Amino acid sequence: VSPVVALRPGVLQDPAVVTEIERRMARAGLRWTRARRTVLESVAAAPAPRSVPELQEAIGRDVPLSSLYRVIGDLVAARILIKLEFAEGFARFELDEELAAHHHHLVCTRCGAVADVELHEFEGALTDAARTVQRRTGFAVSMHRLDFFGVCSTCARD
Ligand SMILES: [Zn+2]
Ligand SMILES: [Zn+2]
């Protein structure tokens, strides 16, 4: 099984995605600003969820750190970005899956690298697992998250 990386750099060029982002912004009382667009473009172009320092490095001085925290908070509140935590002691952010694509994460416990991975061939089995959970427990599953922790190929070579 060769994992396919969920690269979606062009997601903000998709008019349907932009319309949905604008709908969520309007519902949260937010307007498009240069800073919000810059942050969204940076998150969308990344091949994995990004921490605030990583976003700041990618964006540069266009968005000062205090604004960056505020913009990210607003976009999370508007359900455009989601906040992920992998027991690293800090948060990472990515586009809400409904705006991007369903995927899982590979988290390296040695260097801290996080990568996106799509596992289409297993989603049917995961849907079956959710049905089993519901049958056994009465818990109605609406989504799943599955992240893999281990050693990345770069660290494994060293
Ligand atoms: Zn690593
Ligand atoms: Zn899945």
Side-chain angles (χ1 to χ4, degrees):
V1 177
S2 60
V4 179
V5 174
L7 268 173
R8 299 282 316 267
V11 71
L12 291 186
Q13 269 76 62
D14 181 339
V17 170
V18 173
T19 301
E20 178 58 19
I21 288 172
E22 284 171 350
R23 207 176 62 81
R24 292 180 188 202
M25 279 196 179
R27 207 168 45 197
L30 302 178
R31 283 182 303 158
W32 272 114
T33 61
R34 203 170 55 87
R36 286 177 186 140
R37 189 180 292 274
T38 301
V39 171
L40 274 177
E41 279 170 357
S42 186
V43 172
R50 286 293 185 237
S51 65
V52 173
E54 286 169 345
L55 286 171
Q56 198 195 21
E57 199 182 317
I59 290 168
R61 262 169 249 186
D62 274 5
V63 182
L65 189 60
S66 57
S67 309
L68 184 56
Y69 277 105
R70 200 172 49 242
V71 165
I72 290 171
D74 288 344
L75 293 173
V76 169
R79 288 188 47 248
I80 295 165
L81 295 186
I82 59 164
K83 181 178 178 175
L84 300 167
E85 289 178 84
F86 299 107
E88 298 171 293
F90 56 85
R92 291 176 179 273
F93 301 88
E94 68 179 14
L95 280 181
D96 184 84
E97 278 200 347
E98 289 170 18
L99 301 169
H102 177 68
H103 62 274
H104 302 273
H105 300 109
L106 308 178
V107 184
C108 178
T109 54
R110 204 167 291 174
C111 73
V114 179
D116 288 355
V117 65
E118 291 182 2
L119 296 167
H120 299 305
E121 61 273 59
F122 296 109
E123 293 302 332
L126 290 166
T127 302
D128 290 346
R131 283 201 199 97
T132 301
V133 165
Q134 185 154 355
R135 201 168 53 242
R136 281 191 199 159
T137 68
F139 183 90
V141 176
S142 57
M143 58 91 77
H144 67 257
R145 282 198 186 136
L146 175 64
D147 301 322
F148 296 88
F149 293 79
V151 179
C152 75
S153 56
T154 305
C155 287
R157 267 200 298 275
D158 297 341

